[in-house]
Amino acid sequence: MDLSAINWLLLLASLMVASTPILLAAIGELVVEKAGVLNLGVEGMMITGAISGFAIAVETQSPLLGFVAAAIGGAVLALLFGFLTQVLLSNQVATGLALTLFGLGLSSLLGQSYIGIKPPLTGMIDIPFLADLPILGTIFFRHDLMVYISLLIVVAVWFLLKYTRIGLILRAVGENHDAAHALGYKVVRIRLMAIAFGGACAGLGGAYLSLIRVPQWTEGMTAGAGWIALAIVVFASWKPGRVILGAYLFGGVTVLQLNLQAAGLAIPVEYLSMSPYLITILVLVIMSADRSRTALNAPACLGRSFHASS
Amino acid sequence: MTGDQPLLKLEGLTKAYPGVIANDHVSFEVQPGEVHALLGENGAGKSTLVKMIYGLVRPDAGQMHLNGERFEPHEPRAARALGVAMVFQHFSLFEALNVAENIALGMENPPAQRDLAARITEVSETYGLPLDPARLVGDLSAGERQRVEIIRCLLQDPKLLIMDEPTSVLTPQEVEILFETLRKLSAEGTAILYISHKLEEIRSLCEGATILRLGKVVATCNPREKSARELAELMVGQTLHQPERSRAELGEVMLEVNGLTLPPATPFGTTLHDINLSVRSGEVLGIGGVAGNGQDELLAALSGEVTGTGQAIRMKGQPVGDLGPNERRALGLLAAPEERLGHAAAPDMSLTENALLTGWVREGLSNRGFLNWPKTRQFAERIIAEFDVRTPGPQNAARALSGGNLQKFVIGREILQRPDVLVINQPTWGVDASAAAAIRQALLDLAASGAAVICISQDLDELMEISDNFAALNAGRLTPARPASGLTVDEIGLMMGGAHDMEVAHVDV
């Protein structure tokens, strides 16, 4: 094995690119869970976003329109979940799982004529001056727009949840929906909005995969990223700042194992491919070892159906 | 400012739900500054009525007038804007949020957090209800939580304050502080609609009372001119008979707890510290205390839901702390938890199945893993017959029973298994007066037949009525037991921790 074959600067730079899809999906799911809804359909919404974004970008030759379409596609699928669970009061876990399966099937159907096509290229943005910094410039300031947008979304979510009334109401609904209802807040409406936001973010994450990271369309290309995003929300104990940490940690391990494979590490490739998932499981186990602290941060109404009794 | 015009006037309010008329042409008036009681048993329609006034439920028919103007709130926000505020029975608070955030959620246009914190401190000092805006609500005592709700209402300068069973979670000292605050508010011209079934409280606080029974107004009166018994009989519509006890000699010690210390299972749970108690054959030990002071944890430790307490719990001298619920049942230690649906009974299973769930050990309802359904059904039918459970039959789902009937079933199920020790939490919570009397009588009869009974309850009147000895739980610690006869309300209040660490109100009336 030749570790010097690894370009550490490029590795760190590609870490940000590798992490962006799960970062987007995870921050969306965080908002959904803060509102008290457990949507296990992230994977389905991501891949639906991936194909909607890819198709529209190819047809219009505009990556920007592609991302808009991906957000809409993810949100529409999420609202289907919202209608089933919030209005028809179906079980959130079962519906979320069904949403994943449905999204995977729907995307392969939609994507049949797009296999093997190249999408329009999304331009890189070299931030003036900063991009020319030695080392830091390469790592942080020579990426595409979506990388920065994803970070902006995380900061905005953090600010909204912590400092604004909308955020307070959202947390209140997730904490105790009966009390929120008694105070006159529209629990179902607020949750539907959170679900749509979560779907849009997952859609963006999916489109980032198909338009920038890979970039092309293959069936099932999200390959479990949605599930990792779900795990990262728990890992982050529902705190936006830690979502960045979790996503970049996972992205880092993914990139590292690719580089180690390339450098010819003398263990079977399968072990390396497994490693990001193994590390995620390990981190989750360590995080939830202190059960009372995890429970303290979890929204108290997470996954419970709300039915106005009055 | 007692004008000619009533503050709130209800005329013919009617609300029907499928199969039940919750309110049937209810009419009454509340004057400005009046403390008006709304009395009635569970299911009499009090909650539905105040939900209509607060805009959570819309009436099917009838009219409301506030200050002479048509009042039709279609959501709580509209009611709040017109000066109607409400303190809920089950607190409408968010445990993981702090006091200031909780209060901001109940306001239309809350000021910035810093200004709000200053106003909270100011209002809480004025009314003698000290509160720290930055504390997490999950860490507050029940009395302090109620303060959060009251201050949330007061910050909006309400003209009408609705209080739904506010004292059920308070110690006697805290009740006094609350009443001082309410009298001050009333003197300032705020009308208070006070819902309760604690008659002595109503007689000391309220100037007018409307009594509801089965959704209809059966009387309007001045509660100070009636005796508590007269009021009770108006509520129930029949004469009440007091449970009688036939005193048995106290026998040998059946259950003993020595130095039981237990960390909580949930983040906002209570740690049990060094609990010591013993209960003898024929004895009813009453354990009082405000909710959330370790009642659930103590029941779980005694019933066997929480194990690993080793030598600390002894049944007839034998350590049982490491045995699970079924092994303890086999030894004669039975328990009935507070939460009927989901803890004491499985909501969607039939009464027969529920009878089986705790009864199979002692009643021999299974044989080598095969269930004996005919015998189980007989057992369920026996419970239904002996405890007057009103239900079409044992095939009905537990969920379909009213709270009082299910409670009779749950308690009857344990009593008919002839326990040596019965531990019971809140036996008559949410049960109407006649059913409550029947349950208390059954507990007394059980003790008279030689069993030991530990009754955990927040209803002090109930504990005084049935217990031989009384102890109180306070922040996970149990006071030494004292003979119940001769205890005064003040002494009980002190055993329950007084007004906690809250100072007595500085109220300038």
Side-chain angles (χ1 to χ4, degrees), chain A residues 16 20 23-24 27 140 143 145-158 244 248:
Chain A
M16 288 183 81
T20 299
L23 179 63
L24 280 164
I27 195 66
F140 292 115
H143 292 296
L145 190 60
M146 281 312 289
V147 168
Y148 305 113
I149 289 182
S150 69
L151 290 170
L152 274 181
I153 291 178
V154 177
V155 172
V157 165
W158 166 78
I244 299 188
Y248 279 25

Short mmCIF file of all heavy atoms in Angstrom, two decimals, chain A residues 16 20 23-24 27 140 143 145-158 244 248:
data_model
loop_
_atom_site.label_atom_id
_atom_site.label_comp_id
_atom_site.label_asym_id
_atom_site.label_seq_id
_atom_site.Cartn_x
_atom_site.Cartn_y
_atom_site.Cartn_z
N MET A 16 -16.30 17.09 1.08
CA MET A 16 -17.46 17.98 1.11
C MET A 16 -18.47 17.59 0.05
O MET A 16 -19.68 17.62 0.28
CB MET A 16 -17.01 19.44 0.91
CG MET A 16 -16.29 20.00 2.11
SD MET A 16 -15.83 21.73 1.94
CE MET A 16 -17.33 22.56 2.33
N THR A 20 -22.45 16.15 0.84
CA THR A 20 -23.58 17.05 0.60
C THR A 20 -24.94 16.35 0.44
O THR A 20 -25.91 16.80 1.04
CB THR A 20 -23.27 17.96 -0.60
OG1 THR A 20 -22.10 18.71 -0.27
CG2 THR A 20 -24.40 18.91 -0.89
N LEU A 23 -26.10 15.33 3.82
CA LEU A 23 -26.31 16.51 4.65
C LEU A 23 -27.67 17.12 4.34
O LEU A 23 -28.45 17.43 5.25
CB LEU A 23 -25.19 17.54 4.38
CG LEU A 23 -25.33 18.85 5.17
CD1 LEU A 23 -25.22 18.56 6.66
CD2 LEU A 23 -24.25 19.84 4.76
N LEU A 24 -27.98 17.27 3.04
CA LEU A 24 -29.27 17.85 2.65
C LEU A 24 -30.42 16.99 3.16
O LEU A 24 -31.37 17.50 3.76
CB LEU A 24 -29.33 17.97 1.12
CG LEU A 24 -28.59 19.18 0.55
CD1 LEU A 24 -28.37 19.00 -0.94
CD2 LEU A 24 -29.37 20.46 0.82
N ILE A 27 -30.75 17.19 7.09
CA ILE A 27 -31.26 18.43 7.68
C ILE A 27 -32.77 18.53 7.44
O ILE A 27 -33.53 19.00 8.29
CB ILE A 27 -30.50 19.67 7.18
CG1 ILE A 27 -30.80 20.87 8.08
CG2 ILE A 27 -30.85 20.03 5.75
CD1 ILE A 27 -30.27 20.75 9.47
N PHE A 140 -11.99 24.25 0.67
CA PHE A 140 -13.29 24.84 1.01
C PHE A 140 -13.92 25.68 -0.09
O PHE A 140 -15.12 25.81 -0.14
CB PHE A 140 -13.14 25.73 2.25
CG PHE A 140 -12.85 24.97 3.50
CD1 PHE A 140 -11.64 25.14 4.16
CD2 PHE A 140 -13.78 24.07 4.01
CE1 PHE A 140 -11.38 24.43 5.32
CE2 PHE A 140 -13.51 23.35 5.16
CZ PHE A 140 -12.30 23.53 5.81
N HIS A 143 -15.96 24.81 -4.91
CA HIS A 143 -17.02 23.82 -5.07
C HIS A 143 -18.15 24.40 -5.89
O HIS A 143 -18.15 25.57 -6.22
CB HIS A 143 -17.54 23.39 -3.70
CG HIS A 143 -16.54 22.61 -2.92
ND1 HIS A 143 -16.07 21.39 -3.31
CD2 HIS A 143 -15.89 22.90 -1.77
CE1 HIS A 143 -15.19 20.94 -2.45
NE2 HIS A 143 -15.04 21.84 -1.49
N LEU A 145 -22.21 25.41 -6.40
CA LEU A 145 -23.11 26.22 -5.59
C LEU A 145 -23.84 25.39 -4.52
O LEU A 145 -24.05 25.85 -3.40
CB LEU A 145 -24.10 26.92 -6.51
CG LEU A 145 -24.97 28.00 -5.88
CD1 LEU A 145 -24.08 29.09 -5.33
CD2 LEU A 145 -25.93 28.56 -6.90
N MET A 146 -24.24 24.16 -4.90
CA MET A 146 -25.08 23.38 -3.98
C MET A 146 -24.38 23.09 -2.65
O MET A 146 -25.02 22.97 -1.62
CB MET A 146 -25.51 22.06 -4.65
CG MET A 146 -26.64 22.20 -5.64
SD MET A 146 -28.04 23.14 -5.02
CE MET A 146 -28.70 22.00 -3.81
N VAL A 147 -23.06 22.94 -2.69
CA VAL A 147 -22.35 22.68 -1.44
C VAL A 147 -22.58 23.83 -0.46
O VAL A 147 -22.88 23.63 0.72
CB VAL A 147 -20.84 22.50 -1.72
CG1 VAL A 147 -20.06 22.51 -0.42
CG2 VAL A 147 -20.60 21.21 -2.47
N TYR A 148 -22.49 25.05 -1.00
CA TYR A 148 -22.68 26.20 -0.12
C TYR A 148 -24.15 26.35 0.28
O TYR A 148 -24.47 26.70 1.42
CB TYR A 148 -22.17 27.47 -0.80
CG TYR A 148 -20.74 27.33 -1.24
CD1 TYR A 148 -20.38 27.31 -2.57
CD2 TYR A 148 -19.74 27.13 -0.28
CE1 TYR A 148 -19.08 27.13 -2.96
CE2 TYR A 148 -18.43 26.95 -0.66
CZ TYR A 148 -18.10 26.95 -2.00
OH TYR A 148 -16.80 26.75 -2.38
N ILE A 149 -25.04 26.05 -0.69
CA ILE A 149 -26.47 26.15 -0.35
C ILE A 149 -26.82 25.17 0.77
O ILE A 149 -27.54 25.50 1.70
CB ILE A 149 -27.33 25.89 -1.60
CG1 ILE A 149 -27.21 27.08 -2.55
CG2 ILE A 149 -28.79 25.69 -1.23
CD1 ILE A 149 -28.05 26.97 -3.81
N SER A 150 -26.25 23.97 0.70
CA SER A 150 -26.58 22.98 1.73
C SER A 150 -26.14 23.50 3.10
O SER A 150 -26.87 23.37 4.09
CB SER A 150 -25.93 21.63 1.42
OG SER A 150 -24.52 21.73 1.58
N LEU A 151 -24.97 24.12 3.16
CA LEU A 151 -24.51 24.66 4.45
C LEU A 151 -25.40 25.82 4.90
O LEU A 151 -25.73 25.93 6.08
CB LEU A 151 -23.05 25.10 4.34
CG LEU A 151 -22.06 23.94 4.19
CD1 LEU A 151 -20.69 24.42 3.83
CD2 LEU A 151 -22.03 23.10 5.46
N LEU A 152 -25.79 26.65 3.93
CA LEU A 152 -26.69 27.76 4.27
C LEU A 152 -28.01 27.24 4.85
O LEU A 152 -28.54 27.80 5.80
CB LEU A 152 -26.99 28.60 3.02
CG LEU A 152 -25.98 29.71 2.72
CD1 LEU A 152 -26.40 30.47 1.47
CD2 LEU A 152 -25.89 30.66 3.91
N ILE A 153 -28.53 26.17 4.22
CA ILE A 153 -29.80 25.61 4.72
C ILE A 153 -29.63 25.17 6.18
O ILE A 153 -30.49 25.42 7.03
CB ILE A 153 -30.25 24.42 3.84
CG1 ILE A 153 -30.67 24.94 2.46
CG2 ILE A 153 -31.41 23.69 4.48
CD1 ILE A 153 -31.09 23.84 1.50
N VAL A 154 -28.50 24.52 6.48
CA VAL A 154 -28.29 24.06 7.85
C VAL A 154 -28.26 25.24 8.82
O VAL A 154 -28.91 25.24 9.87
CB VAL A 154 -26.99 23.25 7.97
CG1 VAL A 154 -26.74 22.85 9.41
CG2 VAL A 154 -27.05 22.01 7.10
N VAL A 155 -27.53 26.29 8.44
CA VAL A 155 -27.45 27.47 9.31
C VAL A 155 -28.85 28.09 9.48
O VAL A 155 -29.25 28.45 10.58
CB VAL A 155 -26.46 28.50 8.73
CG1 VAL A 155 -26.51 29.79 9.52
CG2 VAL A 155 -25.06 27.93 8.75
N ALA A 156 -29.59 28.16 8.37
CA ALA A 156 -30.93 28.76 8.44
C ALA A 156 -31.83 27.94 9.35
O ALA A 156 -32.58 28.49 10.17
CB ALA A 156 -31.52 28.85 7.04
N VAL A 157 -31.75 26.61 9.25
CA VAL A 157 -32.59 25.75 10.10
C VAL A 157 -32.22 25.95 11.56
O VAL A 157 -33.09 26.09 12.44
CB VAL A 157 -32.44 24.27 9.69
CG1 VAL A 157 -33.00 23.36 10.77
CG2 VAL A 157 -33.14 24.01 8.37
N TRP A 158 -30.90 25.99 11.82
CA TRP A 158 -30.46 26.21 13.20
C TRP A 158 -31.01 27.53 13.74
O TRP A 158 -31.59 27.58 14.83
CB TRP A 158 -28.93 26.23 13.23
CG TRP A 158 -28.36 26.77 14.50
CD1 TRP A 158 -28.25 26.11 15.69
CD2 TRP A 158 -27.82 28.08 14.70
NE1 TRP A 158 -27.69 26.93 16.62
CE2 TRP A 158 -27.41 28.15 16.06
CE3 TRP A 158 -27.66 29.19 13.89
CZ2 TRP A 158 -26.84 29.30 16.61
CZ3 TRP A 158 -27.09 30.34 14.42
CH2 TRP A 158 -26.69 30.38 15.77
N ILE A 244 -24.07 18.49 10.48
CA ILE A 244 -22.90 18.74 9.62
C ILE A 244 -21.78 17.78 10.01
O ILE A 244 -21.19 17.11 9.17
CB ILE A 244 -22.41 20.19 9.77
CG1 ILE A 244 -23.52 21.15 9.33
CG2 ILE A 244 -21.15 20.41 8.94
CD1 ILE A 244 -23.05 22.60 9.28
N TYR A 248 -20.40 14.94 7.47
CA TYR A 248 -19.02 15.03 7.00
C TYR A 248 -18.18 13.86 7.50
O TYR A 248 -17.26 13.41 6.81
CB TYR A 248 -18.41 16.38 7.40
CG TYR A 248 -18.82 17.50 6.47
CD1 TYR A 248 -20.01 17.40 5.75
CD2 TYR A 248 -18.04 18.62 6.27
CE1 TYR A 248 -20.41 18.38 4.88
CE2 TYR A 248 -18.43 19.63 5.40
CZ TYR A 248 -19.62 19.50 4.71
OH TYR A 248 -20.02 20.47 3.83
#
